[in-house]
């Protein structure tokens, strides 16, 4: 389990990252917090596990969770903004996580892959799964932000099918990174960006930073949407976090989907 003394020594956030539920084995930290949310658990509660037996990924995938190496955690939020803005939290949390990693390892070229992955050398370093509470509590919906970050796992810790698509901080740097410090620094970074986001109307003021580290800029991508595949160059993102894709049938607005990079786009960066 994570060392709580190191975690709390680095936690500067005043509202988020506590209480800490520091577990050994759980099915899913997201599920754990969603269950407790309906019993009235407060904003800021953080669940972290050494391993998950049924870690949930996006699009009904499972999240590979080898024990004791990486970070698998979930943060409970009760945002004051309308639920229509909740999907924007995916981008906000990816930016906060990127900042946290860079605070520990400044030289890493970590990229943001819409809507909520972190990429390093074109491989997945982290995935984020945001899940809404199934019902309102005291008139409000909650949201659980679940993050899997590959910290100290090495190639052999990943199953063969992930060898070409996943990476970890250790795999890249050859060094171990403190999970406790990273987790606390994420909470510090996230509280700052979350407060700014709640006080703003949209993502407008965050988009310049997103564009700076956008893994999909100048790329031709294919998105699996609920209504089929769409291919084309990424044109940019709206203030509400919707991706604009230039397809043969015109510009399409994509609010969710599984993104695959097809090839490089030669010309100028758009967006
Ligand atoms: C993705 O598919 O990219 C999202 C993966 C999210 C995994 C994390 S691990 C901690 C939290 N608990 C879960 O069951 N899932 C998220």
């Amino acid at each position: 389990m994570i060392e709580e003394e190191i975690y709390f020594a680095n936690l500067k956030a005043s509202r988020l990252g506590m209480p800490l539920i520091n577990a050994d084995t759980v099915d899913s930290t997201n599920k754990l917090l969603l269950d407790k949310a309906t019993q009235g658990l407060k904003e800021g509660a953080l669940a972290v596990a050494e391993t998950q037996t049924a870690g949930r990924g996006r699009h009904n995938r499972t999240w590979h969770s080898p024990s004791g190496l990486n970070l698998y955690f979930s943060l409970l939020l009760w945002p004051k903004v309308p639920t229509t803005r909740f999907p924007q939290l995916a981008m906000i949390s990816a930016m906060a996580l990127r900042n946290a990693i860079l605070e520990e390892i400044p030289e890493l070229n970590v990229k943001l892959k819409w809507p909520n992955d972190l990429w390093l050398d074109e491989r997945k370093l982290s995935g984020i799964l945001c899940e809404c509470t199934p019902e309102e509590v005291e008139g409000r919906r909650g949201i659980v932000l679940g993050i899997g970050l590959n910290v100290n796992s090495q190639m052999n810790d990943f199953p063969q099918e992930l060898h070409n698509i996943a990476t970890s901080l250790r795999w890249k740097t050859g060094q171990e990174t403190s999970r406790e410090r990273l987790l606390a620094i994420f909470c510090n970074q996230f509280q700052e960006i979350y407060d700014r986001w709640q006080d703003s109307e949209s993502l407008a003021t965050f988009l310049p930073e997103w564009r700076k580290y956008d893994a999909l800029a100048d790329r031709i991508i294919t998105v699996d949407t609920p209504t089929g595949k769409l291919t084309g160059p990424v044109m940019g993102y709206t203030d509400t976090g919707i991706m604009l894709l230039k397809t043969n049938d015109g510009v399409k607005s994509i609010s969710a989907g599984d993104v695959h990079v097809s090839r490089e786009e030669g010309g100028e960066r758009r967006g």
Side-chain angles (χ1 to χ4, degrees), residues 10 100 103-104 180-190:
N10 287 280
E103 216 179 297
E104 283 298 88
E180 290 81 358
R181 283 176 54 91
L182 256 183
L183 187 58
I185 295 171
F186 168 76
C187 293
N188 304 341
Q189 287 281 352
F190 184 76

Side-chain angles (χ1 to χ4, degrees), residues 42-256:
K42 296 279 175 285
E43 171 159 287
L46 182 81
V48 58
E50 269 318 75
T51 185
Q52 301 180 112
T53 53
R56 300 177 181 173
R58 294 171 66 228
H59 310 292
N60 290 325
R61 298 193 187 107
T62 51
W63 187 256
H64 182 64
S65 311
S67 183
L69 296 167
N70 299 323
L71 277 172
Y72 319 110
F73 66 95
S74 302
L75 182 65
L76 175 62
L77 303 170
W78 294 102
K80 292 187 220 112
V81 305
T83 49
T84 48
R85 288 193 66 202
F86 282 17
Q88 297 172 14
L89 277 166
M91 291 172 81
I92 291 290
S93 45
M95 284 193 273
L97 188 61
R98 184 186 175 280
N99 290 346
I101 295 167
L102 270 281
E103 216 179 297
E104 283 298 88
I105 315 173
E107 67 279 7
L108 274 194
N109 190 13
V110 178
K111 296 271 178 95
L112 302 162
K113 182 183 173 234
W114 184 91
N116 52 0
D117 282 353
L118 293 188
W119 260 14
L120 185 57
D121 298 340
E122 306 283 305
R123 289 154 179 257
K124 186 155 168 161
L125 177 66
S126 170
I128 303 177
L129 176 69
C130 302
E131 293 186 274
C132 236
T133 57
E135 57 206 51
E136 292 187 348
V137 176
E138 290 169 16
R140 256 203 250 166
R141 283 269 165 178
I143 186 156
V144 169
L145 209 81
I147 299 188
L149 172 64
N150 297 328
V151 182
N152 292 320
S153 49
Q154 309 204 58
M155 203 206 241
N156 288 344
D157 301 308
F158 289 95
Q160 184 73 37
E161 69 268 21
L162 296 182
H163 281 187
N164 293 324
I165 54 176
T167 191
S168 75
L169 297 177
R170 172 112 192 241
W171 194 338
K172 174 71 181 172
T173 64
Q175 312 273 321
E176 282 211 22
T177 301
S178 161
R179 292 181 301 160
E180 290 81 358
R181 283 176 54 91
L182 256 183
L183 187 58
I185 295 171
F186 168 76
C187 293
N188 304 341
Q189 287 281 352
F190 184 76
Q191 181 171 305
E192 189 272 322
I193 203 166
Y194 176 60
D195 286 349
R196 260 198 298 138
W197 172 75
Q198 290 207 104
D199 289 342
S200 54
E201 299 276 295
S202 72
L203 287 174
T205 56
F206 301 92
L207 287 181
E209 187 183 334
W210 184 278
R211 288 195 197 104
K212 231 161 136 182
Y213 306 111
D214 183 4
L216 303 180
D218 306 329
R219 318 293 291 268
I220 307 273
I221 62 156
T222 297
V223 195
D224 293 328
T225 73
T227 51
K229 281 187 198 301
L230 293 170
T231 297
V234 177
M235 300 193 68
Y237 308 91
T238 68
D239 289 357
T240 56
I242 285 172
M243 175 194 267
L244 299 173
L245 194 70
K246 192 175 175 188
T247 72
N248 291 338
D249 295 329
V251 176
K252 302 280 180 196
S253 302
I254 320 268
S255 55

